[in-house]
């Protein structure tokens, strides 16, 4: 069942900006990781050729077992009638013509060639980790170099599939912005993968490690079998003994119910209804045969989605939000602060009686790893109650919008004359404290906007004439500003609330076609990176839309200037970094500026 938030001075779980970090300062990495991050070239796990080419061996062995199974059975259960000696059997042909030796030698030669290719590929695949980037070289004939800058990392995944887990290996993938821009390290020793990720994120955050060696992962004296067993039983958040505790626990009944009460289920029911009607009216079964593969595939869809999310977990760490999922094959990912470009809270109609919500995000990277709901890796809460959503947002908002809101408020004080620019240093010292307060205000507004309608919660909604375009949702369709973010509230049947952090806003658009102009309405688009979330709001009064456009454009410029999440812990080893905020100029705060 869901866990109650831990008591503390603030509502937000995990580490807070500006609050003393009670966790120990990051020490030097363990010796094994220190060697991998010395800036020199290193090779991957020795079992990498087998893991990458394992499917080839499985196919060959499977074919041989299938072909020889009758002959193996005849050794123990003789078949005097020769019923199993069917004509056209390739094994029978090989034995009958005395070609066994040649075939066996050919299979051995093929296996040796495959092993040689993968071994050569392993020898030619190297990586290095420096203070500025992670680089991977691979390829035999055609060489490929991939380099990921540490200050542009969008997230780091650690994936442990079943076969790699058997040999103690894991895949580490560094997510970068752009299409096919990720840098994979497949495979590393599983025992070093978590520590290597921690060291890469430490360097990306800008902190300096102490000279003392990290004692968190010393010699354990465990045997190989015991170590593999511990890896299988480890939580998806990571194998570290001090792994963070998840703030949300996924309940099996809720998970199964959410999968059954989904849009895909409605699609399957529509197909079944069409098949039944077709058979009843025409007496023909062609629709049944046409859609039978789809019906069979639906069971695979449900099982994968449920199994993927069974061990879902999310927690706050020093380096960002840690999300884990998977039962047989596990994956956990760390999202550094500021790498979330927009958030969408959605509630389908069938989920409303149970109070369930889903949380998705837009991110700049495009990971090949499937998320907790077996969809694209953009879901950070597959299904949860309103309290679960609040706990997840408590992890995200302080670093995502809290610091920005504090910066904007201080800038307003300077512009309005309430604060002397010479006192900017004193203001900066209080920014982290103010960030926590501002993120709490933003969370309260988001919680109110999840189910509110009309002007409740301070939203500006569509005018009555907007009902022509928004028949059911015109009273809910609206927007408002929040500390460090913009909120878009949409949908009466399928509820949605979109949160766009101001620093991640790339541009703002105002559209008004002939029909909207006739109705004196307009649409505002908030442009972020490509993803499942489209941050747009239509059927607004044209005056309200212009005012929203001007406010969003102005605040986005200031927020982008104040953003410092690419080096989220720079300048401190044990505490939050001191903000480097400086008041913006009058030109930057001018209404209607570019965005």
């Amino acid at each position: 069942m869901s866990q109650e938030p831990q008591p503390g001075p603030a509502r937000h779980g995990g580490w807070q900006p500006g609050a003393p970090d009670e966790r120990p300062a990051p020490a030097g990495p363990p010796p094994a990781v220190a060697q991998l991050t010395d800036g020199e070239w290193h090779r991957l796990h020795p079992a990498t050729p087998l893991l990458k080419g394992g499917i080839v061996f499985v196919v060959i062995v499977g074919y041989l077992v299938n072909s020889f199974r009758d002959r193996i059975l005849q050794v123990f259960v003789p078949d005097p009638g020769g019923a199993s000696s069917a004509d056209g059997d390739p094994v029978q042909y090989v034995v009958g013509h005395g070609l066994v030796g040649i075939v066996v030698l050919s299979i051995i030669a093929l296996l040796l060639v495959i092993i040689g290719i993968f071994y050569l590929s392993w020898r030619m695949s190297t990586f290095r980790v420096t203070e500025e980037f992670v680089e991977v070289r691979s390829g035999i004939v055609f060489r490929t170099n991939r380099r990921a800058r540490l200050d542009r990392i969008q997230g780091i995944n650690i994936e442990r599939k079943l076969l790699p887990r058997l040999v103690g290996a894991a895949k580490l993938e560094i997510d970068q912005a752009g299409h096919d821009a990720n840098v994979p390290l497949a495979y590393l020793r599983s025992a070093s993968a978590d520590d290597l990720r921690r060291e890469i994120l430490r360097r990306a955050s800008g902190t300096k490690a102490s000279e003392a060696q990290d004692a968190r992962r010393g010699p354990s004296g465990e045997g190989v079998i015991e170590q593999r067993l511990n890896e299988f039983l480890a939580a998806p958040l990571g194998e570290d003994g001090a792994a963070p505790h998840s703030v949300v626990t996924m309940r099996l009944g809720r998970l199964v119910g959410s999968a059954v009460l989904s849009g895909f289920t409605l699609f399957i029911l529509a197909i079944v209804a069409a098949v039944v009607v077709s058979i009843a009216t025409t007496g023909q079964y062609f629709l049944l045969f046409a859609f039978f593969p789809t019906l069979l595939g639906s069971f695979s869809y449900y099982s994968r989605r449920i199994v993927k999310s069974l061990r879902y977990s999310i927690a706050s760490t020093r380096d960002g939000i840690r999300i884990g999922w998977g039962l047989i094959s596990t994956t956990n990912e760390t999202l550094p602060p500021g790498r979330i470009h927009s958030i969408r809270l959605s509630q389908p109609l069938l989920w409303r009686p149970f109070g369930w919500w889903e949380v998705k995000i837009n991110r700049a990277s495009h990971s090949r790893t499937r998320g907790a709901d077996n969809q694209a890796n953009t879901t950070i809460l597959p299904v949860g109650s309103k309290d679960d959503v609040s706990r997840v947002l408590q992890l995200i908002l302080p670093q995502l919008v809290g610091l920005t809101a504090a910066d904007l408020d201080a800038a307003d004080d300077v512009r309005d004359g309430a604060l002397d620019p010479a006192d900017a240093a004193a203001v900066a010292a209080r920014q982290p404290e103010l960030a926590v307060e501002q993120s709490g205000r933003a969370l309260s507004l988001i919680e109110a906007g999840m189910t509110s309608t009309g002007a409740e919660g301070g939203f500006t909604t569509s005018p009555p004439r907007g009902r022509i375009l928004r028949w059911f949702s015109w009273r809910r369709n609206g927007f408002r500003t929040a500390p460090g973010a913009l909120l878009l509230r949409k949908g009466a049947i399928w509820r949605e609330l979109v949160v766009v952090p101001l620093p991640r806003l790339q541009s703002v658009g105002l559209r008004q076609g002939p029909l909207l102009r006739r109705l004196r309405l307009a649409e505002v688009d908030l442009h972020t990176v490509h993803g499942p979330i489209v941050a747009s709001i239509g059927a607004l009064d044209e005056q309200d839309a212009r005012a929203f456009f001007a406010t969003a454009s102005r605040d986005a410029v200031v927020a982008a200037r104040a953003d410092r999440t690419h080096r989220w812990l720079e300048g401190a080893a044990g505490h939050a970094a001191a903000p480097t905020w400086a008041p913006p100029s009058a030109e930057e705060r001018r209404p209607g500026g570019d965005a």
Side-chain angles (χ1 to χ4, degrees):
M1 63 186 301
S2 301
Q3 301 169 359
E4 296 299 326
Q6 298 298 322
R11 295 186 60 188
H12 308 281
W15 175 79
Q16 304 301 330
D21 194 347
E22 297 179 356
R23 285 167 291 193
V33 175
Q35 182 181 4
L36 295 177
T37 57
D38 58 4
E40 301 297 329
W41 293 100
H42 300 276
R43 290 192 176 92
L44 300 168
H45 194 284
T48 297
L50 174 64
L51 298 176
K52 286 190 173 182
I55 186 64
V56 178
F57 294 98
V58 171
V59 171
I60 294 177
V61 172
Y63 174 77
L64 293 177
V65 171
N66 179 70
S67 300
F68 282 93
R69 69 180 187 277
D70 292 334
R71 289 195 162 272
I72 295 174
L73 287 175
Q74 287 181 20
V75 174
F76 301 97
V77 184
D79 184 11
S84 61
S85 302
D87 294 337
D89 183 6
V91 177
Q92 181 67 28
Y93 177 84
V94 169
V95 174
H97 291 74
L99 302 176
V100 176
I102 297 177
V103 172
V104 170
L105 290 177
S106 299
I107 293 176
I108 294 175
L110 176 61
L111 292 177
L112 290 177
V113 170
I114 294 174
I115 293 174
I117 292 175
F118 283 109
Y119 174 77
L120 185 59
S121 174
W122 172 74
R123 293 281 300 181
M124 299 296 289
S125 299
T126 56
F127 73 96
R128 63 174 175 171
V129 181
T130 71
E131 294 290 342
E132 299 296 334
F133 57 83
V134 178
E135 186 175 7
V136 177
R137 299 186 306 191
S138 61
I140 301 176
V141 180
F142 300 98
R143 300 288 290 165
T144 301
N145 276 57
R146 286 179 177 266
R147 178 179 294 187
R149 286 180 51 186
L150 298 187
D151 60 347
R152 292 296 180 262
I153 289 177
Q154 302 295 316
I156 300 182
N157 303 323
I158 296 181
E159 184 178 14
R160 294 179 172 92
K161 293 187 176 181
L162 180 59
L163 183 59
R165 293 173 74 185
L166 294 176
V167 298
K171 175 183 176 182
L172 187 146
E173 184 179 20
I174 301 174
D175 295 343
Q176 291 279 104
H179 178 69
D180 195 26
N182 296 348
V183 177
L185 300 180
Y187 289 82
L188 300 171
R189 296 186 185 276
S190 183
S192 301
D194 291 287
D195 288 329
L196 180 59
R197 172 173 60 184
R198 186 182 301 110
E199 175 63 13
I200 293 175
L201 290 174
R202 181 197 65 76
R203 296 185 179 188
S205 69
T207 59
K208 303 296 183 183
S210 67
E211 296 179 358
Q213 291 297 331
D214 191 349
R216 285 172 297 186
R217 190 183 292 275
S220 60
E222 296 179 349
V224 175
I225 297 179
E226 185 179 358
Q227 184 178 1
R228 296 293 173 269
L229 180 61
N230 290 335
E231 291 175 359
F232 267 89
L233 297 178
L237 283 180
E239 297 179 359
D240 192 348
H245 189 67
S246 176
V247 300
V248 175
T249 301
M250 190 61 61
R251 299 170 57 181
L252 178 60
R254 178 183 297 171
L255 185 59
V256 174
S258 65
V260 173
L261 300 176
S262 63
F264 183 76
T265 301
L266 297 178
F267 172 72
I268 294 298
L269 292 178
I271 290 179
V272 172
V275 170
V276 171
V277 171
S278 176
I279 294 176
T281 55
T282 66
Q284 302 294 325
Y285 292 85
F286 69 96
L287 278 184
L288 177 61
F289 292 106
F291 288 110
F292 189 71
T294 302
L295 298 177
L296 289 180
S298 63
F299 294 100
S300 175
Y301 165 80
Y302 289 125
S303 62
R304 289 199 309 267
R305 177 165 181 170
I306 293 173
V307 170
K308 273 277 190 179
S309 302
L310 272 178
R311 300 181 69 193
Y312 164 85
S313 52
I314 181 171
S316 175
T317 68
R318 181 183 181 86
D319 297 308
I321 302 169
R322 181 78 57 82
I323 307 172
W325 61 88
L327 182 61
I328 300 176
S329 298
T330 65
T331 302
N332 63 80
E333 177 179 15
T334 299
L335 293 176
R339 269 47 176 183
I340 297 176
H341 290 252
S342 57
I343 308 170
R344 183 182 69 193
L345 317 178
S346 60
Q347 184 184 55
L349 179 63
L350 297 180
W351 289 12
R352 191 174 302 179
F354 307 95
W356 297 340
W357 291 81
E358 180 187 54
V359 182
K360 284 184 175 290
I361 61 173
N362 271 4
R363 48 189 300 183
S365 61
H366 299 277
S367 175
R368 298 182 182 91
T369 305
R370 310 304 287 179
D373 59 350
N374 201 47
Q375 302 300 315
N377 195 12
T378 56
T379 302
I380 61 174
L381 181 62
V383 58
S385 65
K386 191 174 181 180
D387 290 338
D388 293 333
V389 173
S390 297
R391 295 188 186 102
V392 171
L393 293 178
Q394 287 169 18
L395 303 182
I396 299 174
L397 294 181
Q399 280 284 354
L400 192 63
V401 303
L403 291 174
T404 300
D407 290 337
L408 292 176
D409 277 0
D412 286 335
D413 291 340
V414 173
R415 184 190 61 178
D416 298 337
L419 179 67
D420 190 337
D423 297 331
V427 174
R430 295 190 60 244
Q431 293 303 90
E433 177 184 351
L434 295 174
V436 176
E437 299 176 2
Q438 297 287 14
S439 61
R441 288 181 51 202
L443 178 59
S444 299
L445 294 175
I446 293 173
E447 291 175 341
M450 292 171 65
T451 57
S452 62
T453 58
E456 298 176 7
F459 281 84
T460 302
T461 59
S462 299
R465 60 182 180 276
R467 72 180 66 185
I468 300 177
L469 303 178
R470 301 290 187 274
W471 293 357
F472 305 106
S473 63
W474 68 274
R475 287 184 54 81
R476 178 171 166 81
N477 189 72
F479 68 90
R480 71 152 296 155
T481 59
L486 303 173
L487 308 183
L488 306 181
R489 189 185 63 184
K490 301 185 289 184
I493 299 176
W494 190 301
R495 288 175 175 170
E496 286 188 10
L497 183 67
V498 177
V499 183
V500 181
L502 284 171
R504 306 278 79 82
L505 187 58
Q506 297 184 350
S507 63
V508 185
L510 178 66
R511 292 192 298 171
Q512 190 180 41
L515 178 59
L516 293 179
R517 191 178 302 114
R518 176 74 176 178
L519 298 173
R520 291 177 289 116
L521 302 174
E523 178 179 350
V524 176
D525 299 320
L526 306 179
H527 301 140
T528 64
V529 297
H530 177 73
I533 303 173
V534 178
S536 63
I537 188 76
L540 300 175
D541 180 81
E542 58 183 1
Q543 297 300 324
D544 294 336
R546 289 194 178 95
F548 183 44
F549 171 81
T551 301
S553 303
R554 179 192 66 209
D555 290 346
V557 172
V558 180
R561 181 179 182 270
D563 182 38
R564 50 185 177 272
T565 54
H566 65 290
R567 289 288 195 183
W568 60 94
L569 293 177
E570 188 169 23
H575 302 279
T580 56
W581 173 84
S585 63
E587 289 77 7
E588 290 173 319
R589 295 292 297 174
R590 185 177 62 247
D594 295 335

